[in-house]
Amino acid sequence: MNKFSNVYVVNHPLCCHNLSIIRNKDTNAEVFRNAIRRITYLLFYKATEDLELEDIIVETPLEACKSKILSKKKEIIIAPILRAGLIFSDIANEIMPYATVRHIGMYRDEDTLTPVWYYNKIPVEFEHPEDKIILILDPMLATGNSAIDAIKLFANKKVPHNNIRFVSLISAPEGLSKVQSAYPDVKIITASIDDCLNEHGYIRPGLGDAGDRIFNTVEN
Ligand code: URA
């Protein structure tokens, strides 16, 4: 339980263990990436638990049996926010190979802490927006500004808000409040709600700059 109505914290023991690895400043990029990948499976277990199913009949080597597959009516869209969101998208694509991947390119202006767009692979219009399930991926939900912009991108194309999920590794309470007041029906799945943001918009205690640690671009 947490104070946010639509935020799910996956505090599985394996998440907690791997979070300790990635928070450690001495963890190198390879170990960091692998620990995030292990957490990704657990986050997606939660983020996809209510996907719609349909009935089918399958012929096993012994006999026909009733079975279930994901609804063919629904299109699952994986939307990683570049660049850190890429760490989630490989695993997401591995467990949902039929999903569409639509990258969102934005970076944070370090002075204003607002997102700057440079790319998005989203069509101008969606046919049947009600049948799209969107999984927006960004390891760090800090100020909430990029999350809101990314959600808006799909909400403006008439995707129902409760079809949109935001998957993060670590979230700040300030960002969660902001996203939840703008989009209360968007479900947020995270492995941790940390203490607060610092004056530079970094999550405390957090893990530093996720993109730099994933891609080994930390400048000392
Ligand atoms: N982005 C990061 O990578 N880390 C933070 O703490 C906040 C935003």
Side-chain angles (χ1 to χ4, degrees), residues 41 44 48 51 70 74-78 88-102 135:
Y41 289 103
F44 273 84
T48 56
L51 290 180
L70 289 174
K74 304 286 179 195
E75 183 193 1
I76 300 170
I77 297 178
I78 298 165
F88 286 152
S89 57
D90 282 354
I91 305 285
N93 218 6
E94 181 188 311
I95 58 177
M96 294 177 285
Y98 26 73
T100 309
V101 183
R102 296 196 174 276
L135 292 151

Short mmCIF file of all heavy atoms in Angstrom, two decimals, residues 41 44 48 51 70 74-78 88-102 135:
data_model
loop_
_atom_site.label_atom_id
_atom_site.label_comp_id
_atom_site.label_asym_id
_atom_site.label_seq_id
_atom_site.Cartn_x
_atom_site.Cartn_y
_atom_site.Cartn_z
N TYR A 41 11.72 -8.00 -15.67
CA TYR A 41 10.75 -9.10 -15.77
C TYR A 41 9.67 -8.96 -14.69
O TYR A 41 8.49 -9.19 -14.95
CB TYR A 41 11.45 -10.46 -15.60
CG TYR A 41 12.33 -10.84 -16.78
CD1 TYR A 41 13.71 -10.73 -16.70
CD2 TYR A 41 11.77 -11.31 -17.96
CE1 TYR A 41 14.51 -11.09 -17.77
CE2 TYR A 41 12.57 -11.66 -19.04
CZ TYR A 41 13.94 -11.56 -18.94
OH TYR A 41 14.73 -11.90 -19.99
N PHE A 44 7.26 -6.08 -15.43
CA PHE A 44 6.32 -6.40 -16.50
C PHE A 44 5.30 -7.45 -16.11
O PHE A 44 4.21 -7.50 -16.66
CB PHE A 44 7.07 -6.79 -17.79
CG PHE A 44 7.39 -5.57 -18.57
CD1 PHE A 44 8.51 -4.83 -18.29
CD2 PHE A 44 6.52 -5.11 -19.54
CE1 PHE A 44 8.79 -3.67 -18.97
CE2 PHE A 44 6.79 -3.95 -20.23
CZ PHE A 44 7.93 -3.22 -19.95
N THR A 48 1.51 -6.12 -16.95
CA THR A 48 0.73 -6.80 -18.00
C THR A 48 -0.31 -7.76 -17.42
O THR A 48 -0.92 -8.52 -18.16
CB THR A 48 1.67 -7.61 -18.92
OG1 THR A 48 2.44 -8.51 -18.11
CG2 THR A 48 2.63 -6.72 -19.69
N LEU A 51 -3.92 -7.85 -19.08
CA LEU A 51 -4.12 -7.87 -20.54
C LEU A 51 -5.29 -8.80 -20.87
O LEU A 51 -5.45 -9.86 -20.25
CB LEU A 51 -2.85 -8.34 -21.25
CG LEU A 51 -1.65 -7.40 -21.23
CD1 LEU A 51 -0.47 -8.02 -21.99
CD2 LEU A 51 -2.00 -6.04 -21.84
N LEU A 70 -3.63 -13.94 -25.95
CA LEU A 70 -3.90 -12.50 -25.83
C LEU A 70 -4.89 -12.09 -26.91
O LEU A 70 -4.83 -12.58 -28.05
CB LEU A 70 -2.60 -11.71 -26.00
CG LEU A 70 -1.60 -11.83 -24.85
CD1 LEU A 70 -0.31 -11.11 -25.21
CD2 LEU A 70 -2.18 -11.24 -23.57
N LYS A 74 -6.45 -6.24 -29.51
CA LYS A 74 -5.63 -5.22 -28.85
C LYS A 74 -4.22 -5.16 -29.43
O LYS A 74 -3.61 -6.19 -29.69
CB LYS A 74 -5.51 -5.52 -27.34
CG LYS A 74 -6.84 -5.65 -26.63
CD LYS A 74 -7.49 -4.31 -26.43
CE LYS A 74 -8.83 -4.47 -25.73
NZ LYS A 74 -9.64 -3.24 -25.82
N GLU A 75 -3.74 -3.95 -29.63
CA GLU A 75 -2.34 -3.78 -30.05
C GLU A 75 -1.53 -3.28 -28.85
O GLU A 75 -1.88 -2.26 -28.24
CB GLU A 75 -2.22 -2.77 -31.20
CG GLU A 75 -0.79 -2.65 -31.70
CD GLU A 75 -0.52 -1.45 -32.61
OE1 GLU A 75 -1.46 -0.69 -32.86
OE2 GLU A 75 0.62 -1.29 -33.04
N ILE A 76 -0.48 -4.01 -28.51
CA ILE A 76 0.37 -3.58 -27.39
C ILE A 76 1.49 -2.72 -27.95
O ILE A 76 2.19 -3.12 -28.88
CB ILE A 76 0.95 -4.80 -26.65
CG1 ILE A 76 -0.20 -5.66 -26.10
CG2 ILE A 76 1.88 -4.36 -25.52
CD1 ILE A 76 0.23 -7.00 -25.56
N ILE A 77 1.61 -1.53 -27.40
CA ILE A 77 2.65 -0.60 -27.86
C ILE A 77 3.64 -0.36 -26.72
O ILE A 77 3.26 0.07 -25.63
CB ILE A 77 2.03 0.73 -28.33
CG1 ILE A 77 1.12 0.47 -29.54
CG2 ILE A 77 3.11 1.77 -28.66
CD1 ILE A 77 0.42 1.69 -30.07
N ILE A 78 4.90 -0.69 -27.00
CA ILE A 78 5.98 -0.44 -26.03
C ILE A 78 6.60 0.90 -26.43
O ILE A 78 7.05 1.06 -27.56
CB ILE A 78 7.03 -1.56 -26.12
CG1 ILE A 78 6.41 -2.92 -25.77
CG2 ILE A 78 8.23 -1.26 -25.25
CD1 ILE A 78 7.29 -4.11 -26.17
N PHE A 88 14.64 -1.15 -20.70
CA PHE A 88 13.44 -1.97 -20.48
C PHE A 88 12.92 -2.58 -21.77
O PHE A 88 12.24 -3.60 -21.76
CB PHE A 88 12.29 -1.11 -19.94
CG PHE A 88 12.39 -0.68 -18.51
CD1 PHE A 88 11.79 0.50 -18.09
CD2 PHE A 88 13.05 -1.46 -17.56
CE1 PHE A 88 11.84 0.91 -16.77
CE2 PHE A 88 13.10 -1.05 -16.23
CZ PHE A 88 12.50 0.13 -15.84
N SER A 89 13.19 -1.93 -22.91
CA SER A 89 12.43 -2.31 -24.11
C SER A 89 12.87 -3.64 -24.70
O SER A 89 12.06 -4.35 -25.28
CB SER A 89 12.43 -1.19 -25.15
OG SER A 89 13.72 -0.84 -25.50
N ASP A 90 14.15 -4.02 -24.54
CA ASP A 90 14.59 -5.31 -25.07
C ASP A 90 13.85 -6.46 -24.38
O ASP A 90 13.38 -7.39 -25.02
CB ASP A 90 16.09 -5.52 -24.85
CG ASP A 90 16.90 -4.73 -25.86
OD1 ASP A 90 16.29 -4.15 -26.78
OD2 ASP A 90 18.14 -4.69 -25.71
N ILE A 91 13.76 -6.36 -23.05
CA ILE A 91 13.07 -7.43 -22.30
C ILE A 91 11.58 -7.38 -22.62
O ILE A 91 10.94 -8.42 -22.82
CB ILE A 91 13.28 -7.23 -20.78
CG1 ILE A 91 14.75 -7.16 -20.41
CG2 ILE A 91 12.55 -8.33 -19.99
CD1 ILE A 91 15.52 -8.42 -20.42
N ALA A 92 11.02 -6.17 -22.70
CA ALA A 92 9.58 -6.05 -23.01
C ALA A 92 9.29 -6.69 -24.35
O ALA A 92 8.31 -7.42 -24.51
CB ALA A 92 9.18 -4.57 -23.01
N ASN A 93 10.17 -6.46 -25.29
CA ASN A 93 9.97 -7.03 -26.63
C ASN A 93 10.19 -8.54 -26.63
O ASN A 93 9.56 -9.26 -27.39
CB ASN A 93 10.96 -6.36 -27.59
CG ASN A 93 10.35 -6.11 -28.94
OD1 ASN A 93 9.16 -6.33 -29.13
ND2 ASN A 93 11.14 -5.68 -29.87
N GLU A 94 11.08 -8.99 -25.77
CA GLU A 94 11.34 -10.43 -25.69
C GLU A 94 10.10 -11.16 -25.15
O GLU A 94 9.71 -12.21 -25.67
CB GLU A 94 12.53 -10.66 -24.76
CG GLU A 94 12.92 -12.11 -24.58
CD GLU A 94 13.99 -12.25 -23.50
OE1 GLU A 94 14.99 -11.50 -23.53
OE2 GLU A 94 13.79 -13.10 -22.60
N ILE A 95 9.44 -10.57 -24.13
CA ILE A 95 8.28 -11.28 -23.56
C ILE A 95 7.00 -10.98 -24.34
O ILE A 95 6.03 -11.71 -24.20
CB ILE A 95 8.10 -11.01 -22.04
CG1 ILE A 95 7.95 -9.53 -21.75
CG2 ILE A 95 9.24 -11.60 -21.25
CD1 ILE A 95 7.71 -9.23 -20.27
N MET A 96 7.02 -9.93 -25.17
CA MET A 96 5.84 -9.64 -26.01
C MET A 96 6.33 -9.38 -27.44
O MET A 96 6.33 -8.24 -27.92
CB MET A 96 5.11 -8.41 -25.47
CG MET A 96 4.50 -8.65 -24.11
SD MET A 96 3.73 -7.19 -23.43
CE MET A 96 5.16 -6.25 -22.96
N PRO A 97 6.76 -10.44 -28.15
CA PRO A 97 7.39 -10.25 -29.46
C PRO A 97 6.45 -9.67 -30.51
O PRO A 97 6.91 -9.14 -31.52
CB PRO A 97 7.84 -11.67 -29.85
CG PRO A 97 7.14 -12.60 -28.95
CD PRO A 97 6.74 -11.86 -27.73
N TYR A 98 5.13 -9.75 -30.26
CA TYR A 98 4.14 -9.23 -31.21
C TYR A 98 3.84 -7.76 -30.95
O TYR A 98 3.03 -7.16 -31.64
CB TYR A 98 2.84 -10.05 -31.09
CG TYR A 98 2.73 -10.64 -29.72
CD1 TYR A 98 2.43 -9.84 -28.63
CD2 TYR A 98 3.09 -11.98 -29.50
CE1 TYR A 98 2.43 -10.36 -27.36
CE2 TYR A 98 3.09 -12.51 -28.23
CZ TYR A 98 2.76 -11.69 -27.17
OH TYR A 98 2.79 -12.19 -25.90
N ALA A 99 4.47 -7.16 -29.94
CA ALA A 99 4.18 -5.75 -29.62
C ALA A 99 4.83 -4.83 -30.65
O ALA A 99 5.77 -5.21 -31.35
CB ALA A 99 4.69 -5.42 -28.23
N THR A 100 4.31 -3.62 -30.74
CA THR A 100 4.91 -2.58 -31.59
C THR A 100 5.80 -1.74 -30.68
O THR A 100 5.41 -1.44 -29.55
CB THR A 100 3.78 -1.68 -32.14
OG1 THR A 100 2.79 -2.51 -32.71
CG2 THR A 100 4.28 -0.68 -33.14
N VAL A 101 6.99 -1.36 -31.17
CA VAL A 101 7.86 -0.49 -30.35
C VAL A 101 7.88 0.90 -30.98
O VAL A 101 8.23 1.06 -32.15
CB VAL A 101 9.29 -1.06 -30.24
CG1 VAL A 101 10.15 -0.18 -29.35
CG2 VAL A 101 9.27 -2.48 -29.72
N ARG A 102 7.44 1.88 -30.22
CA ARG A 102 7.41 3.27 -30.71
C ARG A 102 8.26 4.14 -29.78
O ARG A 102 7.86 4.42 -28.65
CB ARG A 102 5.96 3.77 -30.77
CG ARG A 102 5.13 2.98 -31.78
CD ARG A 102 3.83 3.67 -32.14
NE ARG A 102 3.15 2.95 -33.19
CZ ARG A 102 3.41 3.09 -34.50
NH1 ARG A 102 4.31 3.95 -34.90
NH2 ARG A 102 2.73 2.41 -35.38
N LEU A 135 2.55 0.94 -23.07
CA LEU A 135 3.46 0.79 -21.93
C LEU A 135 4.61 1.78 -22.14
O LEU A 135 5.48 1.56 -22.99
CB LEU A 135 4.00 -0.64 -21.90
CG LEU A 135 2.95 -1.70 -21.56
CD1 LEU A 135 3.28 -3.03 -22.21
CD2 LEU A 135 2.83 -1.88 -20.06
#
